[in-house]
Amino acid sequence: MTNDTMITVQQTARPVGFPTPAHFAFVEAPVPAPAPGTALVENLLWSVDPYHREAMDDDSLWTLNAPMEGRTVGRVVDSRTPELSPGDLVQHRRGWRTHSVVAPAEVRPVPHLDGVPLAAHLSVLGGTGLSAYVGLTRIARLQPGEDLFVSAAAGGVGTAAGRFARLLGAGRIVGSAGSARKVAHLTGRVGFDAAFDYHDGPVTELLAEAAPDGLDAVLDGVGGDHLEASIAALREHGRIAWVGAVAQYHALSAPPAAPRNLFDLVGKSIRLEGFLVRDHADAQQELYDFAVPHLRSGRLPLDVTVVDGFEHIVDAFLEMLRGRNIGKMLVRRAT
């Protein structure tokens, strides 16, 4: 890659089951000049997320043989609009490419916050953190002293949710993860009171053992057996914030059956609500107000796995899908 070359990652085929590097292509082209009303951004930091796997199957989200999208932080290097100036740091969704041409309406300025690392803007202060914050405060409506279960707790949303819940005064916090190493990270560093490896047995039994007195709220990004276990463990008037379904992203056949205990939602007056973080952009400043003081004080450490070099973005994405990351998976431009 040279300063005159732009590289984009394009999806070349729809996967059947787990994706491979063969489903992607790195395409080179000259760096484009911004048209009037736009600016050229050199991207510095990329987010690879579980929802990208779902997008790989959906023509309306990712078009084959076209640049893909994703959350990205970059620096304006050329501008033909007064609203953006060279040197400005911005966040946008024209990711999976080294350079992006953006209009002012497509970006959000990255505020200069003393003591806050750039990676925070794609983790606890970005869409990942916003998903956790909205799920806890607006959907599950977690109250001080209440007991919480977080599925896929060692990922980006899960670690943010665990740390946020502790700062919000939650009672017992329980998480599930995919390895003993991740379980140890959750209980030893993130602040979970208990965690389990979901490979160790039926999830309903593992959750009942970790939360013997029941739960008040759940943030679920898995679905399937985790959702069924959550319903079983919740007390009356419990709440489930459902943010994802990684259990079915790579399914070769039909999606998993609905939880067998679904009618318990009625019997226990449980509220189950799915949500998309894009519908809660108005919570961004609220998240800043909550999280930034804790970032500065050190009470909110970042849980991130950083891969250096844009050329490794596909590998980072596939490793994230395999669960090899702890916390948010980010790709950083090589210096």
Side-chain angles (χ1 to χ4, degrees):
M1 184 179 68
T2 70
N3 291 335
D4 298 324
T5 302
M6 175 181 70
I7 301 176
T8 64
V9 181
Q10 302 183 11
Q11 184 182 340
T12 58
R14 302 291 176 198
V16 177
F18 201 92
T20 72
H23 293 103
F24 303 88
F26 286 79
V27 179
E28 294 188 8
V31 172
T38 69
L40 175 66
V41 174
E42 181 180 59
N43 295 321
L44 305 174
L45 198 64
W46 297 265
S47 172
V48 291
D49 297 289
Y51 83 87
H52 289 153
R53 174 61 188 89
E54 187 177 13
M56 292 186 73
D57 295 329
D58 192 331
D59 291 331
S60 67
L61 296 176
W62 278 1
T63 303
L64 293 182
N65 303 306
M68 293 151 57
E69 72 88 36
R71 298 184 181 101
T72 305
V73 168
R75 180 178 289 107
V76 175
V77 293
D78 190 8
S79 178
R80 297 192 66 188
T81 171
E83 297 174 76
L84 295 171
S85 300
D88 288 350
L89 285 175
V90 295
Q91 185 173 161
H92 61 89
R93 299 187 69 95
R94 292 184 176 272
W96 291 76
R97 67 199 87 182
T98 57
H99 301 76
S100 305
V101 174
V102 298
E106 296 175 313
V107 306
R108 180 161 55 85
V110 174
H112 176 71
L113 301 171
D114 289 333
V116 175
L118 190 62
H121 295 282
L122 285 181
S123 55
V124 294
L125 296 180
T128 297
L130 193 61
S131 295
Y133 183 79
V134 166
L136 293 177
T137 63
R138 293 190 173 187
I139 311 301
R141 300 176 189 174
L142 183 70
Q143 299 300 309
E146 289 191 326
D147 299 326
L148 172 73
F149 172 56
V150 181
S151 66
V157 173
T159 50
R163 293 196 184 276
F164 289 173
R166 183 57 67 213
L167 294 169
L168 289 165
R172 186 170 177 81
I173 306 175
V174 178
S176 69
S179 71
R181 179 176 73 102
K182 291 183 175 183
V183 167
H185 179 77
L186 293 175
T187 56
R189 301 191 64 179
V190 181
F192 281 74
D193 296 286
F196 59 85
D197 182 345
Y198 61 80
H199 296 105
D200 287 346
V203 176
T204 297
E205 296 178 9
L206 295 169
L207 181 55
E209 182 179 350
D213 297 325
L215 300 164
D216 299 294
V218 172
L219 182 66
D220 181 34
V222 178
D225 56 356
H226 281 68
L227 182 57
E228 183 172 301
S230 299
I231 294 170
L234 277 167
R235 304 177 182 124
E236 288 191 356
H237 303 287
R239 292 90 61 201
I240 303 172
W242 199 8
V243 70
V246 296
Q248 66 188 61
Y249 285 168
H250 314 300
L252 293 172
S253 56
R260 293 167 295 180
N261 58 351
L262 192 60
F263 192 67
D264 285 354
L265 295 175
V266 176
K268 294 198 285 185
S269 299
I270 292 169
R271 181 167 56 83
L272 168 63
E273 183 177 350
F275 70 99
L276 294 172
V277 71
R278 70 187 183 199
D279 296 328
H280 296 272
D282 63 306
Q284 186 68 57
Q285 186 58 51
E286 188 179 328
L287 173 61
Y288 283 157
D289 294 342
F290 168 75
V292 168
H294 295 305
L295 283 164
R296 287 173 169 159
S297 72
R299 294 188 67 202
L300 181 58
L302 296 188
D303 297 280
V304 295
T305 298
V306 179
V307 174
D308 282 312
F310 179 77
E311 65 272 20
H312 300 301
I313 191 169
V314 170
D315 295 331
F317 172 57
L318 298 179
E319 289 293 280
M320 180 273 300
L321 292 179
R322 294 186 182 99
R324 304 284 171 77
N325 58 300
I326 287 183
K328 184 78 191 74
M329 179 68 95
L330 298 174
V331 178
R332 180 169 54 198
R333 184 182 182 91
T335 57

